[in-house]
Amino acid sequence: RGFIMRKSILRALLFLFMAITGRADADGSDILHVTAAITPTLSLSLSPTSTQLPTPTIAALDLGYIETTRAFTLVISSNVNYAVCVKSLNDNLGTVGSYTKPLGDLLWRLNRSANFTPLTQSDEVVVSGKKGSVTKRLDIRMLAGSDDLPGTYSAVLTFVISAT
């Protein structure tokens, strides 16, 4: 009789538990719903975090520019299509005496492509692509000519990766 009583109490508790959860089937099984949200994951790594262009030579000044190929490496990883943009936080490259070097004298190009693009304060797409991982290299060129006064010129660049 004690065994039957304990069994009845266990059944009553089980029934009460099932009534509270509202998920029990007649055969005593239970249903569980699993939900997982896969969110966009975008990663951009830059190295190095700064670079210095070479000191201009007479030959470089005759060409009208100095440059560093592969100045920066961009490592991109994303589970969605993406775009990487660059812009300058500065409105010029600096002032020496009464001369202010224009921001557009600093140019960039991707992976030794044919054309350099002048740096601006607006987002310019450097590279876009499909989900996955990729490494790209950025060349930097600064126009240099007879109007430039000797001095140090610089800009702070910001890179942003976003889903497209």
Side-chain angles (χ1 to χ4, degrees):
R1 190 164 211 246
F3 176 74
I4 295 173
M5 180 71 144
R6 277 186 247 147
K7 191 173 178 184
S8 296
I9 291 173
L10 286 175
R11 279 188 187 160
L13 289 174
L14 183 59
F15 176 76
L16 180 61
F17 175 75
M18 286 185 234
I20 291 171
T21 63
R23 294 188 173 149
D25 288 344
D27 65 357
S29 65
D30 204 356
I31 298 171
L32 176 65
H33 294 276
V34 176
T35 303
I38 299 175
T39 58
T41 302
L42 300 112
S43 170
L44 173 63
S45 172
L46 297 159
S47 65
T49 56
S50 67
T51 191
Q52 184 169 339
L53 294 169
T55 302
T57 63
I58 297 298
L61 292 174
D62 287 345
L63 287 173
Y65 63 86
I66 53 177
E67 73 181 33
T68 298
T69 56
R70 298 177 161 220
F72 297 100
T73 299
L74 291 75
V75 178
I76 303 159
S77 182
S78 177
N79 67 350
V80 294
N81 295 348
Y82 64 88
V84 175
C85 294
V86 64
K87 69 178 178 181
S88 174
L89 298 181
N90 310 87
D91 58 354
N92 60 61
L93 298 175
T95 300
V96 174
S98 61
Y99 174 71
T100 299
K101 187 148 183 67
L103 180 60
D105 281 2
L106 189 62
L107 306 108
W108 60 269
R109 73 176 175 190
L110 189 66
N111 289 348
R112 296 186 177 176
S113 62
N115 300 318
F116 278 88
T117 301
L119 189 62
T120 68
Q121 286 187 286
S122 300
D123 286 331
E124 298 287 336
V125 176
V126 175
V127 62
S128 60
K130 297 184 183 288
K131 64 183 178 178
S133 296
V134 66
T135 299
K136 301 287 185 177
R137 292 190 172 67
L138 200 67
D139 302 333
I140 299 292
R141 175 182 282 184
M142 187 175 75
L143 302 180
S146 59
D147 291 342
D148 295 329
L149 294 178
T152 300
Y153 301 97
S154 65
V156 176
L157 312 183
T158 182
F159 290 82
V160 176
I161 186 169
S162 57
T164 58

